[in-house]
Amino acid sequence: MAGKRDPNELATDEIKKVMDDLKNMGIWAFDIVGGEPFIRPDIFEILSYGREIGLQMMVNTNGTLVDERTMEKLQESNPTVMVGVSLDGPTPELNDFVRGKGSFEKATRGIKLFVEGGFDPVILHVVNKMNWKHFEKMIELAKKLDVKKLYVDRFIPVGRGVQSKKYLDMDDKEWIVAIEHVRNIIEKYKDEITFYVEENITGDPCTAGKSHASILVDGNVVPCGHFRYNKELYMGNVREKPFSEIWNSYDPDKELPLPKVCSDCPLVKDCYGGCRAVSLHRYGSFEKQDIPLCYMRKKEGGFVIKSWGW
């Protein structure tokens, strides 16, 4: 979480207990995000413990705190950790508008250090109003940095993002153009770069609470990190019961319901209404489908598209 350190954050031993539970569940990876993971004084102890119990670890960082000493400690604690570095534009102007002055230079330096240190970093990129036209340049930068993997997400106005909505969000028609552009570029470079693309761009069914969930800093569990401010969507707390018990008792189809407008759609199995976070945070209700992706999928399927009020 961004901002001041939460006084109720999980202690090291509590995190290790959660990791034991996750290992026993057979999950494929435990991803530590933030805020900034490298601010935690016990981050290398946590990564080392993951290595000890055979749990695949991931760390998502902004890269600004990464230096040669960080590389040494990372190599010592967990040389197989998967690393993602946030970069929201191929230039300082585009990236720093979102992430703060000087962050582009620090992030790209961090990426270079990860590559030199023998890691295989993934660039974490969020498509928004300001940067979507520069997506191909983003790929060119990745190749220049010798990065072979790119994660692609879509801006959703959550948390501090609400304050930047007028600069980073778009209307539905603009999102259609932007998403189509990004998809085309991904298709163009799919043999050169490995892409990890969120369903809010691919148009596939939302995976929140189905294939992943997020454990917040205080132990609360949400089906997707975009719901961290929606207490009514909390699944439980790992301080009160094991994550495995929380996960196995959760019904995503009930808690994150399909929009009624989608119930009789012949394409419902293909998209299931789209990203539930988009529905809630862009339209204010789970009763709304992800309109740009709905439009695009119906168009691709050859369906006659009725008026969308544009």
Side-chain angles (χ1 to χ4, degrees):
M1 304 276 292
K4 296 181 179 180
R5 187 169 181 174
D6 193 317
N8 294 317
E9 70 178 23
L10 295 173
T12 309
D13 289 343
E14 291 178 305
I15 293 175
K16 290 181 178 180
K17 185 178 179 180
V18 171
M19 292 168 67
D20 288 334
D21 187 32
L22 296 176
K23 174 61 179 176
N24 290 333
M25 290 178 66
I27 69 159
W28 77 273
F30 180 41
D31 189 7
I32 304 174
V33 300
E36 174 49 51
F38 287 113
I39 288 179
R40 275 195 74 116
D42 59 355
I43 183 62
F44 297 106
E45 181 180 350
I46 292 170
L47 292 174
S48 180
Y49 187 70
R51 178 188 184 186
E52 179 184 327
I53 65 174
L55 179 62
Q56 177 62 59
M57 302 295 289
M58 300 173 64
V59 174
N60 290 359
T61 173
N62 59 30
T64 60
L65 299 180
V66 176
D67 56 19
E68 288 79 2
R69 180 56 182 152
T70 305
M71 285 298 100
E72 293 176 6
K73 295 173 75 173
L74 204 55
Q75 290 164 339
E76 293 170 0
S77 61
N78 195 324
T80 62
V81 66
M82 300 167 68
V83 179
V85 181
S86 298
L87 201 60
D88 287 332
T91 65
E93 292 75 19
L94 287 169
N95 179 81
D96 292 3
F97 178 83
V98 177
R99 299 201 164 269
K101 186 176 181 180
S103 61
F104 178 86
E105 181 179 351
K106 292 177 181 178
T108 51
R109 179 176 181 273
I111 291 171
K112 292 176 183 177
L113 286 173
F114 280 124
V115 172
E116 293 169 1
F119 294 96
D120 187 18
V122 180
I123 288 179
L124 311 173
H125 184 71
V126 179
V127 176
N128 62 51
K129 183 176 183 177
M130 295 184 65
N131 67 18
W132 71 267
K133 293 180 181 178
H134 306 272
F135 186 64
E136 188 164 14
K137 293 290 184 182
M138 195 70 220
I139 295 173
E140 293 173 2
L141 175 61
K143 294 168 68 175
K144 182 179 179 181
L145 294 171
D146 202 23
V147 172
K148 303 175 180 63
K149 299 175 181 179
L150 186 68
Y151 165 86
V152 188
D153 200 357
R154 172 176 157 199
F155 174 77
I156 298 175
V158 179
R160 292 185 176 183
V162 174
Q163 302 172 19
S164 304
K165 181 177 180 179
K166 66 178 180 179
Y167 304 108
L168 304 179
D169 203 2
M170 294 180 268
D171 64 31
D172 293 332
K173 288 193 292 184
E174 291 173 318
W175 270 117
I176 289 171
V177 175
I179 292 171
E180 286 182 339
H181 174 77
V182 169
R183 285 181 178 179
N184 289 337
I185 298 300
I186 289 174
E187 180 66 22
K188 178 179 178 180
Y189 289 93
K190 65 181 182 181
D191 295 327
E192 301 176 49
I193 295 284
T194 298
F195 293 96
Y196 303 101
V197 189
E198 285 287 359
E199 58 267 20
N200 56 30
I201 292 208
T202 64
D204 294 324
C206 182
T207 57
K210 297 181 178 180
S211 68
H212 69 92
S214 295
I215 303 172
L216 304 184
V217 68
D218 59 0
N220 281 308
V221 181
V222 289
C224 168
H226 287 115
F227 298 136
R228 59 191 179 274
Y229 300 113
N230 300 97
K231 294 184 178 181
E232 71 277 10
L233 298 178
Y234 285 7
M235 301 164 62
N237 191 296
V238 296
R239 281 182 166 140
E240 299 171 1
K241 61 179 69 174
F243 177 86
S244 55
E245 184 177 337
I246 294 171
W247 177 262
N248 290 329
S249 63
Y250 184 73
D251 183 354
D253 290 335
K254 177 182 177 182
E255 302 298 333
L256 306 174
L258 176 74
K260 292 179 181 179
V261 70
C262 302
S263 60
D264 61 350
C265 176
L267 298 177
V268 65
K269 291 183 179 180
D270 295 327
C271 66
Y272 202 76
C275 174
R276 312 316 293 128
V278 168
S279 293
L280 184 62
H281 295 300
R282 290 200 74 239
Y283 305 114
S285 171
F286 288 138
E287 283 302 314
K288 279 283 190 178
Q289 77 274 41
D290 185 339
I291 294 176
L293 290 181
C294 177
Y295 179 92
M296 294 169 71
R297 187 169 284 280
K298 287 184 176 180
K299 183 179 179 181
E300 292 164 359
F303 286 78
V304 175
I305 301 175
K306 299 178 181 179
S307 173
W308 292 73
W310 294 337

